[in-house]
Amino acid sequence: MALLHVENLRVDIPMGNSPTPDDMLHAVRGLDFEVERGEMLCIVGESGCGKSLTSLALIDLLPRQAKRTASRLTLDGIDMLSQSERRMCDLRGNRLAMIFQEPMTSLNPAYSIGDQLSEVLTQHRKVSRKEALARAAQMLEKVGISNATERLRQYPHQLSGGLRQRVIIAMALMCEPDLIIADEPTTALDVTIQAQILRLIRDIQKELGLAVIFITHDLGLVARIADRVAVMYAGEIVETAPALQLFESPQHPYTRGLLASIPIPGRTRPGEALGSIPGLVPSLVGEQQGCAFRNRCSQAIPACAQHVPEVEQGGHRTRCLFAAPDRAPIRLPESVRS
Ligand SMILES: Nc1ncnc2c1ncn2[C@@H]1O[C@H](COP(=O)(O)OP(=O)(O)OP(=O)(O)O)[C@@H](O)[C@H]1O
Ligand SMILES: [Mg+2]
């Protein structure tokens, strides 16, 4: 059984003071997905497609005005839709943890690193402060921070951005959660540090057998770390597949457009122009009938305004009239996955 089951997850935000149904911003529009134990699921999509609201909905930390509904949301068999706020607090940190984009939003500038890390453990487990600090030092070493004992005494402002993100990862690991949700955890970092943090997350995920939902707008990054990929467009998942399958046989025209817009070693020739997807993402206000991508899709026909079938073949799901499992695959060199 999958660790996390999500069925028909929706997030709606009323616009204005007395909104009618047409004024409702439907930011997340009926997502279905699962995460297996020990797997890295990447959710990828353009800015504003609902990635962050999806992750906040999973841990029940949506902004006050946003409303979450779902037919099913279970973590290891626990029904997350019916938990009290107190029980959710207990589950957060303990069974599932979140890594945000900007480490300063997760660290309190007024407390030392040691205080903040050890508190995660003392809140959830019956351990002494001394034991918690010892575990904190261990976790700092695990995320590649040397002089751990000294670092525990420091404050967030004394650390660089990369080190702060390592501390956040250590914090997420303190209670050995089953699932970590990382929302663009490397976007605020410069490129070399980004690569280090990415490798760290991937190594820890493999070593500890953690399930990770990794959220990003960067498909190039997905190619390096994902086991499975869900492509989001305008609040919906339009394609889900094992990572290699998605890169070799993308089915949805949006995924194909995204792939054409990034350089891929061995596939993009030097000097070759990259593609771009014309047009704009549709407004998420009001209901959408038919395929949300049709106004930007070169293959769209009138029927796309009506019904979008979901085609499934061997764990590869695509919501498109034109999904064709027998399309010629694109062969990727091994180096892309290293
Ligand atoms: N608190 C809020 N109130 C109103 N609208 C919101 C709120 N938070 C998000 N939205 C809107 O919901 C949609 C989805 O936002 P979300 O933050 O989930 O996007 P995202 O995919 O994470 O984008 P990015 O890649 O820029 O982080 C956007 O249209 C956004 O403007
Ligand atoms: Mg976001």
Side-chain angles (χ1 to χ4, degrees), residues 14-34:
M15 308 300 283
N17 289 334
S18 49
T20 66
D22 283 346
D23 297 330
M24 199 66 104
L25 186 132
H26 303 289
V28 176
R29 299 171 169 237
L31 302 194
D32 298 318
F33 64 94
E34 304 85 43

Side-chain angles (χ1 to χ4, degrees), residues 123-249:
Q123 236 182 27
H124 294 290
R125 305 275 157 86
K126 285 196 175 67
V127 295
S128 68
R129 188 175 134 76
K130 198 171 157 210
E131 284 168 309
L133 278 171
R135 168 117 181 126
Q138 254 176 18
M139 284 302 112
L140 285 187
E141 270 157 28
K142 183 161 265 339
V143 300
I145 297 184
S146 50
N147 298 335
T149 326
E150 196 180 309
R151 292 290 185 196
L152 288 176
R153 284 195 289 270
Q154 293 188 322
Y155 287 79
H157 74 269
Q158 294 173 285
L159 307 181
S160 66
L163 278 183
R164 284 201 287 259
Q165 200 55 302
R166 283 178 195 264
V167 170
I168 297 293
I169 296 168
M171 197 181 253
L173 294 172
M174 281 299 281
C175 289
E176 301 172 47
D178 304 303
L179 173 69
I180 289 188
I181 304 170
D183 186 1
E184 309 254 13
T186 62
T187 311
L189 305 170
D190 57 48
V191 179
T192 46
I193 309 291
Q194 243 185 36
Q196 290 170 11
I197 298 287
L198 209 60
R199 187 163 294 260
L200 173 70
I201 293 177
R202 181 68 177 169
D203 289 349
I204 285 177
Q205 183 246 340
K206 288 286 167 225
E207 184 191 332
L208 305 180
L210 275 174
V212 176
I213 299 179
F214 191 101
I215 291 177
T216 178
H217 61 271
D218 183 346
L219 251 189
L221 196 151
V222 171
R224 284 154 56 193
I225 57 164
D227 294 315
R228 221 149 46 81
V229 186
V231 180
M232 262 186 101
Y233 184 76
E236 296 177 344
I237 291 179
V238 295
E239 183 161 6
T240 321
L244 259 186
Q245 210 169 323
L246 185 106
F247 283 93
E248 291 187 348
S249 316

Side-chain angles (χ1 to χ4, degrees), residues 79-152:
D79 178 7
M80 311 266 283
L81 295 171
S82 61
Q83 301 301 317
S84 64
E85 180 45 36
R86 207 166 140 222
R87 176 89 176 106
M88 264 322 288
C89 272
D90 194 40
L91 289 171
R92 272 184 234 121
N94 215 350
R95 302 297 301 272
L96 79 169
M98 177 106 196
I99 302 172
F100 291 97
Q101 175 174 344
E102 174 39 66
M104 276 319 264
T105 56
S106 314
L107 290 172
N108 188 328
Y111 291 93
S112 71
I113 302 299
D115 280 344
Q116 298 188 54
L117 283 178
S118 57
E119 198 202 346
V120 179
L121 203 60
T122 50
Q123 236 182 27
H124 294 290
R125 305 275 157 86
K126 285 196 175 67
V127 295
S128 68
R129 188 175 134 76
K130 198 171 157 210
E131 284 168 309
L133 278 171
R135 168 117 181 126
Q138 254 176 18
M139 284 302 112
L140 285 187
E141 270 157 28
K142 183 161 265 339
V143 300
I145 297 184
S146 50
N147 298 335
T149 326
E150 196 180 309
R151 292 290 185 196
L152 288 176

Side-chain angles (χ1 to χ4, degrees), residues 46-53 55 101 183-184 215 217:
E46 283 169 274
S47 183
C49 72
K51 304 182 296 296
S52 292
L53 289 178
S55 55
Q101 175 174 344
D183 186 1
E184 309 254 13
I215 291 177
H217 61 271

